[in-house]
Amino acid sequence: MRIVPNRLASLVSRASLTANGSRLWVCKDCHRQLRQNRSNGTRASIFSTKPYYVTTPIFYVNAAPHVGHLYNIVLTDILKRWQTLLGKNALLCTGTDEHGMKIQRAAAKAGQDVRSFCDQNYTSFKVLADRANVSYDHFIRTSEPDHRFAVQHFWLMLKERGYIYSSKHEGWYSISDETFYPPSGVELILDPATGRKLMASKETGKEVEWTSENNYHFRLSAFNDRLLEFYASNPDFVVPSTRMNDVVSTVADGLEDLSVSRPVERLSWGIPVPDDDSQTIYVWLDALINYLTKANYPFQIPGQEDAAGWPADCHVVGKDIVRFHCIYWPAFLMALDLPLPRQVLTHAHWTLGRQKMSKSTGNVVNPFFAIDRFGADTMRYYLTHDGGIKDDASYENSYIIDRYKKGLQGGLGNLASRVTRGKGWNVREAVKQSTSENLPPATGPLASNLRRALMNLPEMVSGHMNNLDPGKGLRLIMRVVFQTNEYMQNAAPWGLIDGDPEKTAKKNAIIYLCSESLRVCGILLQPYMPERMNKLLDLLGVNHDVRTFENALFGSNSDYGVSFVDVGKGLTNTLFPPLRSDF
């Protein structure tokens, strides 16, 4: 359904009741479209209860993706897969931001029509998500008709409520950041690459240019107190807490009204203001609404407004776009009495040569090359293990190789091979005897410590995931893997294979404890390395219907032990084979 600006502006609005009894203005054509959606089930799947809804930011298509984009979508996917592991319905939305000045200029520089430029470049982000084994449910493009409709409807509702007004705007604008900065937010710098003096944002270092134009403004200042009240009532809204404090401090200093359109002669590639075709809607207002678009806005069924996911349970964003997601976005939503997202995870950046990776400077790592060389699960592991939430992390191939050799090949892979390929024991026999024949458990301090660690592991990992820190959860699981390897080396079950009944019982108790560690850790590692952990659990013979969080309880499964696949020998069918090179 395509609505031209003047037609949309002239539609007669009607009121519908939201779930909490407030009024939501919806136009006649929206109601007609809603009836069609009810009948054909388009847009998003409808669940009987609200699904967990997690989102990445949408990525600019002005240049190819880099490893920072990969980090973001992997973190987001881990959070989604964790909820699935818990047995919950979960939705992940990702996509591309295809509007704005930087896209318009990038297309012109490439000598392409803007539409063709976007059609060509968005695919690399979609392919990256696929190559990284990201289980996304929605891939949105802001150039799609349903998003255009949602944005123009949102604009009209803001205007209807008196939050949009026209005024002259003067200020420093960054095309790279797609935002205005106040005079206090810019400084004169010397570009080391060219020796040119230029004005740049203090926050991002990106060049700004002075702009004077007539456009529309959003009454952001009207939400100063409401935002502070919201932050006080929701102190964990922004993760980590240091950035929550920064957000509160910024708002406490006072907010100015926000320019939310650009004259069409400056910016023609975007969504037109619905009742003024001389103006184009500000790219960030346009972009943020994508989270609503794929949650069926504005076509939610009364009484089931959250059935397609909204409000989002978590937005996962880089620290450079905190202001847009944690100040502007809540204010836009408050203006329409829409529910606010529950949390925003703001992660740190990756650096290369001690500088932030940036498409504009070319200081980037090609994520496709990295996946080709190391594999998707290895990259998922490395980025989550070493990636920063609070502090930036340094990217180096040598670090990946080290993590692979020590953690995956030498840790998890070595343990899996030792347990499943042992010539002096049988995993199934060890499991059966330990769970049904009252076999005494493995003894000694190392065994007791490992058993205690495994019993506590699920809830401890769950705590880190609830705190939106998948990296801490991963490192905790890997400590148990290393602990298990240490225990097995010290217990030396290969020295207990002479057929003596007492030694056999002791050997089976050791193998069972190590097998349980692999099973429990394998289940909990599924969100991080879905492909490799599927193979690990197949090697152990764990049925597919008992691979959920509730099955990660020590001693809860007595039916595994017969591998579904050939356990192989040597390098054949090994879980983590040697890398092809060490540099």
Side-chain angles (χ1 to χ4, degrees), residues 340-472:
L340 273 58
R342 292 172 178 172
Q343 283 188 293
V344 183
L345 170 59
T346 67
H347 59 76
H349 293 146
W350 285 91
T351 61
L352 186 64
R354 298 186 178 181
Q355 291 184 334
K356 178 201 167 188
M357 290 189 191
S358 169
K359 293 188 291 186
S360 59
T361 63
N363 186 50
V364 296
V365 172
N366 186 315
F368 297 104
F369 291 169
I371 291 173
D372 286 341
R373 179 177 179 185
F374 299 110
D377 276 359
T378 299
M379 288 305 298
R380 290 171 66 104
Y381 174 86
Y382 166 69
L383 293 173
T384 311
H385 190 285
D386 282 26
I389 299 298
K390 182 179 178 182
D391 300 313
D392 291 348
S394 179
Y395 183 97
E396 292 285 350
N397 281 344
S398 61
Y399 298 164
I400 305 174
I401 293 169
D402 184 66
R403 292 298 180 205
Y404 185 88
K405 287 186 172 181
K406 292 180 179 178
L408 299 181
Q409 184 185 13
L412 194 55
N414 180 53
L415 180 61
S417 293
R418 278 179 154 186
V419 170
T420 62
R421 295 180 176 183
K423 295 181 179 179
W425 55 79
N426 179 286
V427 175
R428 177 61 198 145
E429 179 184 345
V431 172
K432 183 178 179 181
Q433 289 190 6
S434 297
T435 57
S436 63
E437 299 181 14
N438 296 318
L439 185 73
T443 58
L446 290 178
S448 298
N449 290 340
L450 177 57
R451 193 178 298 109
R452 186 180 308 111
L454 286 168
M455 289 178 175
N456 294 331
L457 185 61
E459 289 306 318
M460 292 181 69
V461 174
S462 182
H464 291 311
M465 298 300 280
N466 289 339
N467 292 332
L468 301 181
D469 198 338
K472 280 188 177 179

Side-chain angles (χ1 to χ4, degrees), residues 45-315:
S45 300
I46 299 300
F47 298 100
S48 57
T49 57
K50 180 193 176 307
Y52 182 89
Y53 185 36
V54 62
T55 71
T56 74
I58 47 176
F59 306 117
Y60 285 122
V61 296
N62 61 309
H66 58 69
V67 80
H69 299 109
L70 178 59
Y71 177 51
N72 177 276
I73 60 175
V74 165
L75 275 183
T76 309
D77 187 52
I78 290 169
L79 293 176
K80 186 244 174 135
R81 287 180 182 271
W82 180 260
Q83 295 299 319
T84 303
L85 191 71
L86 295 177
K88 299 179 181 179
N89 290 318
L91 297 173
L92 190 161
C93 182
T94 188
T96 48
D97 188 350
E98 303 181 10
H99 292 147
M101 187 72 75
K102 71 161 67 175
I103 308 299
Q104 185 173 293
R105 289 193 177 182
K109 185 177 180 180
Q112 289 183 259
D113 167 77
V114 190
R115 165 62 70 179
S116 300
F117 180 82
C118 293
D119 288 344
Q120 173 183 304
N121 286 12
Y122 95 91
T123 57
S124 60
F125 290 91
K126 196 169 190 293
V127 171
L128 179 62
D130 293 332
R131 289 286 307 280
N133 202 5
V134 172
S135 56
Y136 60 88
D137 301 274
H138 305 299
F139 190 99
I140 187 171
R141 300 178 62 192
T142 55
S143 58
E144 293 170 341
D146 61 342
H147 179 67
R148 175 189 176 111
F149 184 88
V151 171
Q152 291 185 320
H153 178 87
F154 197 99
W155 176 281
L156 286 176
M157 298 306 100
L158 289 176
K159 187 175 181 182
E160 176 73 26
R161 293 184 173 212
Y163 292 115
I164 298 287
Y165 66 93
S166 178
S167 178
K168 183 176 182 179
H169 186 88
E170 292 185 329
W172 295 101
Y173 191 81
S174 166
I175 293 173
S176 180
D177 299 333
E178 292 285 14
T179 190
F180 281 99
Y181 288 102
S184 60
V186 300
E187 60 184 351
L188 183 66
I189 66 169
L190 182 69
D191 185 355
T194 64
R196 183 170 64 98
K197 291 183 178 180
L198 53 89
M199 296 300 292
S201 161
K202 291 180 180 179
E203 182 181 343
T204 66
K206 302 299 183 182
E207 184 174 1
V208 297
E209 56 185 36
W210 183 258
T211 300
S212 178
E213 60 192 34
N214 289 314
N215 55 27
Y216 290 99
H217 289 65
F218 170 72
R219 299 185 190 278
L220 182 63
S221 59
F223 295 91
N224 216 103
D225 292 341
R226 283 185 64 182
L227 284 168
L228 290 174
E229 290 171 5
F230 173 75
Y231 301 147
S233 301
N234 299 272
D236 297 323
F237 175 62
V238 181
V239 176
S241 59
T242 51
R243 293 197 191 102
M244 179 80 253
N245 294 337
D246 291 342
V247 167
V248 172
S249 177
T250 297
V251 177
D253 286 343
L255 296 173
E256 297 180 355
D257 289 354
L258 181 68
S259 171
V260 288
S261 74
R262 304 298 306 277
V264 71
E265 59 267 20
R266 289 182 184 269
L267 176 62
S268 58
W269 180 244
I271 298 177
V273 169
D275 50 0
D276 183 355
D277 56 12
S278 71
Q279 294 279 321
T280 302
I281 295 174
Y282 174 46
V283 65
W284 268 106
L285 175 56
D286 166 358
L288 289 164
I289 294 169
N290 95 86
Y291 306 127
L292 283 174
T293 301
K294 288 305 180 184
N296 282 356
Y297 178 84
F299 302 124
Q300 294 96 337
I301 299 172
Q304 298 182 39
E305 287 83 2
D306 63 358
W310 194 261
D313 292 88
C314 185
H315 292 318

Side-chain angles (χ1 to χ4, degrees), residues 465-481:
M465 298 300 280
N466 289 339
N467 292 332
L468 301 181
D469 198 338
K472 280 188 177 179
L474 175 58
R475 292 188 289 273
L476 179 61
I477 298 169
M478 291 308 297
R479 281 202 295 271
V480 174
V481 170

